[in-house]
Amino acid sequence: EELLAKEEELKRQQASADSSAFHNASFSYDDDNDDDVGKAKDAEAKKKDDDDDDKDEKMKKLRDNLSEPFISASVLPEGMISPETKKIHMIIQHTAEFVAKNDDEVVQALQSNQAKNPVFSFLINSEDPMHPYYLH
């Protein structure tokens, strides 16, 4: 009986040691390899931050550029007005190119999806001041 109790105790200790083995792994902050890995991770994080800053700066410049007044490079027909900003010009230009490339079903879907969007009123409302520019 005593032998059986010792065997049971030994099994419990062994099971306990096996289940917590990964918790007892040794670790040293002074290990050179860990320091190199940490430096590499820091450099990678800094590069990502720099890339994010560059992207943010580029987006800011793009937004600033698009909010600038638009000056048409070509002479517009009499009575036709040009968009006030580069952003509106780009929206109209890209929409016109999209419409030209696609069939009527796609155009109707675009008109339906943008029906309540005032930016796209030139697409739907023939009375919109930008509608003739869009058709041009």
Side-chain angles (χ1 to χ4, degrees):
E1 221 175 274
E2 191 176 311
L3 184 61
L4 190 58
K6 285 184 179 182
E7 282 181 13
E8 289 295 320
E9 181 63 29
L10 184 60
K11 285 181 185 177
R12 273 184 281 203
Q13 288 176 353
Q14 191 173 15
S16 176
D18 289 345
S19 68
S20 64
F22 73 95
H23 294 290
N24 295 326
S26 64
F27 178 78
S28 171
Y29 285 104
D30 296 322
D31 190 1
D32 288 339
N33 291 337
D34 289 341
D35 191 38
D36 291 343
V37 170
K39 286 179 183 177
K41 286 182 181 179
D42 289 345
E44 186 177 316
K46 184 177 179 345
K47 184 181 181 321
K48 184 180 181 311
D49 288 345
D50 290 347
D51 289 348
D52 289 346
D53 290 345
D54 288 346
K55 287 178 187 175
D56 291 344
E57 186 64 29
K58 286 178 184 176
M59 287 303 295
K60 183 182 181 308
K61 285 180 182 178
L62 180 61
R63 279 192 298 274
D64 291 346
N65 185 32
L66 290 175
S67 64
E68 291 178 4
F70 174 71
I71 300 169
S72 179
S74 61
V75 177
L76 298 175
E78 190 173 323
M80 183 183 297
I81 60 171
S82 66
E84 292 181 13
T85 65
K86 289 181 180 181
K87 180 179 180 179
I88 297 298
H89 165 73
M90 295 297 290
I91 290 170
I92 293 171
Q93 180 183 9
H94 288 294
T95 302
E97 290 170 358
F98 179 79
V99 166
K101 291 178 187 175
N102 291 287
D103 61 15
D104 288 339
E105 282 184 30
V106 174
V107 173
Q108 289 173 354
L110 176 64
Q111 289 173 330
S112 175
N113 290 341
Q114 299 299 335
K116 294 183 180 182
N117 186 343
V119 173
F120 286 89
S121 65
F122 68 86
L123 181 65
I124 300 147
N125 181 3
S126 61
E127 299 297 317
D128 186 278
M130 289 293 102
H131 186 75
Y133 186 81
Y134 158 71
L135 295 176
H136 176 68

